[in-house]
Structures are given as structure tokens and as C-alpha cells.
Amino acid sequence: MKTPRLPALRSRRSFLGELAAGAAVAAFAPSVRGQPAAPRKLGIAIAGLGGYAAGQLAPALQLTQHCEVRGVVTGTPAKGREWAQHFRFPETSIYSYDTMARLADNRDIDLVYVVTPNALHPAHTIAAAKAGKHVICEKPMANTVAECDAMLAACRAAKVKLSIGYRLQFEPHNLAMKERARSAEFGPYLKLSGALAFPIRRRVWRVEKALAGGGPLMDVGIYCIQAAGMAADTTGTNHAKFAPVAITAREHPKTRPEFFLDVEEGIDWTMEFANGAKGEFMTSYNVGADRFRAEGAKDWIEFAPAFPYGGLKVTTARGPLALAVPPSQQAVQMDHFAQCVREGRESPVSGEMGRRDMVIIEAIYASAAGGGKRVAVKV
Ligand code: NAD
């Protein structure tokens, strides 16, 4: 896939001025409201300048109020120079993956956003932590639970904070679902279902197990796991560790075995929760799907589409739910983490949550490998 071009650079004022009806990011950053303006933006270095970094994070970083790009880590120096020019940081703040240790000497950079292929998340997160930088790591956190443990240990040892790039944890409709699930008026949701799938045609790292860790489950199925966590969690206690108690899964027969050499083409799975809630989910690289639904005795809520960067359509038993949304999910997500760092608190969208999702994913693969046997989940 060709990396998208960086957005045309505009001043933050003119960019915000173009946003509809004053829907500024600040209104959506949960703990910003009512607080005085922050003294200094935190500096981010983006590690991995591919599609998501250029297409989504770069425009978001023109909206953020609490952080800004002050460096990059890339294997392509020309891309680094383009980012340096675009975001006006010195070329001395362009690093390669091999020189990440030198980030330790750069006081302009407070945190690193790891946006490389999944298999590289552990090495890049650990290198950033060792350089004393806080980390946002893209989903999935890693390819195994053992790698997640190593990342958590490295961040603990370096006393830096770790968050995962789960942008929908900050999306207003998803937050409303989470609140409804816990409220006596709406919840609990006991029947869940969802699917996220898209047909993949070109041979990219996403279909190589060594880099992706698996197929569509690692890449997009994880969104259903995330949504299910929000819809089923009525405990209100340790959100990052809330998990199903058991999984069953079946891999789809491969229609293109020569293409999907060592990753699944698609997979169906179920999740059982301690309160009796059950969910049925699907992901695939062979069809298109984008939906999530949660049902209970007092309410149902349906997202279709459920997981895009914008334009979610949400209906409930009581009618459509059309909340004001921020201009950029990613800007809210990054600002929230910057505030956590500044205020010295852990992000609720933590490394623990990324690890939890890997425990669930490993259980799904174990069940599928065992012909659909029921696998207990222990986070
Ligand atoms: P991409 O292929 O477009 O970009 C990957 C980047 O990593 C490229 O710049 C590439 O040069 C670099 N890279 C470094 N070492 C590499 C290697 N050994 N092999 C291949 N590329 C290498 O991928 P992307 O879509 O930007 O995805 C990157 C990460 O972001 C993935 O973990 C993905 O799951 C995540 N992502 C998250 C979202 C979201 O909504 N949160 C959306 C898209 C992607």
C-alpha cells in the first residue's frame, strides 16, 4: 500500500477555524474541561511513518492541544526529512530504528508513538522506554502475551507510562455504551455480536505471520474484542483487566490457501462472560463487515458502521443516538495520554488492557487450533 501524503500544513488556528460549529478537540478531552491552559505541549516522536501515521496521526497532530510532533523514527531518511519540514522540527530529531537509544538525549521528546508492524511493537516500545520516553503503542500491543509482559516490565523499570492506540475508547458513542451497560436503566447487555472484516488482495505484512502475528483477528478482529469489553463490563472495577471467562472459535476454511499461507483467512469466535453475557463475532480478510450490537432486557444498541475513524451510525431501542463527535478520534486519544503523563497518572487504556486482549486472542487461536474446544480465559 502506498503511504498517504502528509496533509497540507496549516496553522492550528486556521485548521481549527475550519472545523464545524466549534467542535474543537478540547471539548472531548475528558479531564481538560475547566482546567487552565497547559504550560507546555509534550513532544511526540512517531516511530513508523506508514499509512496510519501519515494518513491519520499527522492530521490529528495538527489538532492536539497537549502534544505535538517533535521527532520521528524511520528507516527512510527522506520521509523523516519530509516530516521534519512539515512539522518544523530539526533534522537532528530524525532517528532510525537502530539509533532509538539516542532519544534519551533529546529533551524535546517526551513520548514515542509506535506505529510499526505488530511484530516490531515490543522492540520499539522497549527501546523507547529504555530511552526514558512514555509510549503509545499501536494495536495489537504485540504478537504474544509473553511479549506484552516484557513490554510492561520494561516500562515499569524505566518508570514510564504505556498506553495502547485504542482510539474508540475515547469515542463518545462507545463511551455512552459503556455507561449504559453499567446503568440500571439500560444494562446489562447480555447478548453481543459483531464483525469487522475487509477483503485483502495485495500481499502486505498483514498476511505474514512473522510480522503480523496472525491474520484479520490481530488486525481488525481485535476491535470486536474491545467493543465487547466495553459492552459486557458491568463491574466498573478494573476495566483494563475485565475479560470473558471462556472462548470458543472456528477458523474459516481457506478459499485462497496460496495467499493466506500461515495466517487465518477468517475466524468466528464466541465469548462468555461471568454475568452470563455471551457474544458471537467474526473477522475475515475475505469479505466486508463493520457492525456491533449489544442487547439486554431494557435496551439494545447497534453500531453500523461500528469501527471507522468517523461516521459511526448508532441506533438504540429508544431511537438513534447521534452524539457530537470530535474532529479526530486520534487527537483526543493522544491529548488524553499527554495529560495522563503530565499529571502523573496511568491511562485507563493501559498496557494491561493491551495484554488482556492478547490473552483473549491467544485463547481464540488455541480454541480454533483445538477444533473449537472451550478455552478458559485467565488474565
Ligand atoms: P503500514 O504498512 O502502512 O506502515 C508500517 C510502517 O512501518 C512503514 O512506514 C514501514 O516502513 C515501517 N516498517 C518498519 N520496519 C518494517 C518492516 N520490517 N516491515 C514492514 N514495515 C516496516 O502499516 P500501518 O497501517 O500504518 O500500520 C502500522 C501499525 O498501526 C499496525 O500495528 C496497525 O495495526 C496499526 N494501525 C492502527 C490503526 C488504528 O485505527 N488504531 C489503524 C491502522 C493501523
Side-chain angles (χ1 to χ4, degrees), residues 92 94-95 99-106 131:
T92 46
I94 303 171
Y95 298 85
T99 61
M100 286 182 75
R102 285 187 15 223
L103 281 162
D105 304 325
N106 192 332

mmCIF file of all heavy atoms in Angstrom, residues 92 94-95 99-106 131:
data_model
loop_
_atom_site.group_PDB
_atom_site.id
_atom_site.type_symbol
_atom_site.label_atom_id
_atom_site.label_comp_id
_atom_site.label_asym_id
_atom_site.label_seq_id
_atom_site.Cartn_x
_atom_site.Cartn_y
_atom_site.Cartn_z
ATOM 1 N N THR A 92 18.025 16.873 13.380
ATOM 2 C CA THR A 92 18.712 16.087 14.415
ATOM 3 C C THR A 92 17.701 15.240 15.205
ATOM 4 O O THR A 92 18.095 14.339 15.937
ATOM 5 C CB THR A 92 19.447 17.014 15.397
ATOM 6 O OG1 THR A 92 18.554 18.070 15.767
ATOM 7 C CG2 THR A 92 20.704 17.605 14.771
ATOM 8 N N ILE A 94 15.520 13.313 13.781
ATOM 9 C CA ILE A 94 15.149 12.159 12.949
ATOM 10 C C ILE A 94 16.039 10.997 13.390
ATOM 11 O O ILE A 94 17.269 11.105 13.357
ATOM 12 C CB ILE A 94 15.385 12.436 11.446
ATOM 13 C CG1 ILE A 94 14.606 13.672 10.999
ATOM 14 C CG2 ILE A 94 14.997 11.216 10.607
ATOM 15 C CD1 ILE A 94 14.954 14.125 9.578
ATOM 16 N N TYR A 95 15.420 9.908 13.814
ATOM 17 C CA TYR A 95 16.162 8.737 14.294
ATOM 18 C C TYR A 95 15.863 7.553 13.386
ATOM 19 O O TYR A 95 14.826 7.503 12.717
ATOM 20 C CB TYR A 95 15.746 8.399 15.734
ATOM 21 C CG TYR A 95 16.055 9.526 16.696
ATOM 22 C CD1 TYR A 95 15.157 10.576 16.872
ATOM 23 C CD2 TYR A 95 17.258 9.561 17.379
ATOM 24 C CE1 TYR A 95 15.451 11.630 17.720
ATOM 25 C CE2 TYR A 95 17.569 10.619 18.230
ATOM 26 C CZ TYR A 95 16.657 11.645 18.397
ATOM 27 O OH TYR A 95 16.957 12.693 19.227
ATOM 28 N N THR A 99 18.933 3.703 16.161
ATOM 29 C CA THR A 99 19.502 4.784 16.994
ATOM 30 C C THR A 99 18.485 5.313 18.012
ATOM 31 O O THR A 99 18.626 6.423 18.528
ATOM 32 C CB THR A 99 20.006 5.961 16.119
ATOM 33 O OG1 THR A 99 18.895 6.492 15.375
ATOM 34 C CG2 THR A 99 21.096 5.523 15.155
ATOM 35 N N MET A 100 17.476 4.473 18.317
ATOM 36 C CA MET A 100 16.442 4.946 19.262
ATOM 37 C C MET A 100 17.010 5.247 20.649
ATOM 38 O O MET A 100 16.455 6.093 21.367
ATOM 39 C CB MET A 100 15.299 3.928 19.364
ATOM 40 C CG MET A 100 14.390 3.935 18.139
ATOM 41 S SD MET A 100 13.027 2.778 18.313
ATOM 42 C CE MET A 100 11.950 3.651 19.468
ATOM 43 N N ALA A 101 18.118 4.609 21.009
ATOM 44 C CA ALA A 101 18.707 4.865 22.335
ATOM 45 C C ALA A 101 19.074 6.344 22.473
ATOM 46 O O ALA A 101 19.037 6.908 23.575
ATOM 47 C CB ALA A 101 19.934 3.991 22.544
ATOM 48 N N ARG A 102 19.392 6.970 21.333
ATOM 49 C CA ARG A 102 19.802 8.386 21.374
ATOM 50 C C ARG A 102 18.648 9.328 21.715
ATOM 51 O O ARG A 102 18.859 10.506 22.035
ATOM 52 C CB ARG A 102 20.438 8.782 20.043
ATOM 53 C CG ARG A 102 21.864 8.220 19.900
ATOM 54 C CD ARG A 102 22.571 8.731 18.657
ATOM 55 N NE ARG A 102 21.938 9.877 18.057
ATOM 56 C CZ ARG A 102 21.743 10.054 16.750
ATOM 57 N NH1 ARG A 102 22.162 9.128 15.893
ATOM 58 N NH2 ARG A 102 21.164 11.133 16.298
ATOM 59 N N LEU A 103 17.412 8.801 21.664
ATOM 60 C CA LEU A 103 16.260 9.614 22.091
ATOM 61 C C LEU A 103 16.443 10.092 23.531
ATOM 62 O O LEU A 103 15.912 11.131 23.930
ATOM 63 C CB LEU A 103 14.969 8.791 22.007
ATOM 64 C CG LEU A 103 14.335 8.606 20.622
ATOM 65 C CD1 LEU A 103 13.362 7.440 20.647
ATOM 66 C CD2 LEU A 103 13.623 9.897 20.204
ATOM 67 N N ALA A 104 17.208 9.323 24.300
ATOM 68 C CA ALA A 104 17.427 9.674 25.717
ATOM 69 C C ALA A 104 18.024 11.072 25.855
ATOM 70 O O ALA A 104 17.795 11.762 26.854
ATOM 71 C CB ALA A 104 18.352 8.641 26.361
ATOM 72 N N ASP A 105 18.788 11.498 24.837
ATOM 73 C CA ASP A 105 19.451 12.812 24.913
ATOM 74 C C ASP A 105 18.562 13.953 24.413
ATOM 75 O O ASP A 105 18.982 15.105 24.426
ATOM 76 C CB ASP A 105 20.734 12.807 24.050
ATOM 77 C CG ASP A 105 21.667 11.679 24.457
ATOM 78 O OD1 ASP A 105 21.707 11.376 25.661
ATOM 79 O OD2 ASP A 105 22.311 11.097 23.566
ATOM 80 N N ASN A 106 17.380 13.629 23.929
ATOM 81 C CA ASN A 106 16.531 14.658 23.315
ATOM 82 C C ASN A 106 15.431 15.087 24.287
ATOM 83 O O ASN A 106 14.421 14.396 24.450
ATOM 84 C CB ASN A 106 15.913 14.125 22.011
ATOM 85 C CG ASN A 106 15.284 15.234 21.212
ATOM 86 O OD1 ASN A 106 14.837 16.239 21.768
ATOM 87 N ND2 ASN A 106 15.242 15.065 19.900
ATOM 88 N N ALA A 131 14.949 4.583 26.694
ATOM 89 C CA ALA A 131 15.425 5.964 26.475
ATOM 90 C C ALA A 131 14.674 6.941 27.381
ATOM 91 O O ALA A 131 14.837 8.159 27.259
ATOM 92 C CB ALA A 131 15.258 6.338 25.005
#
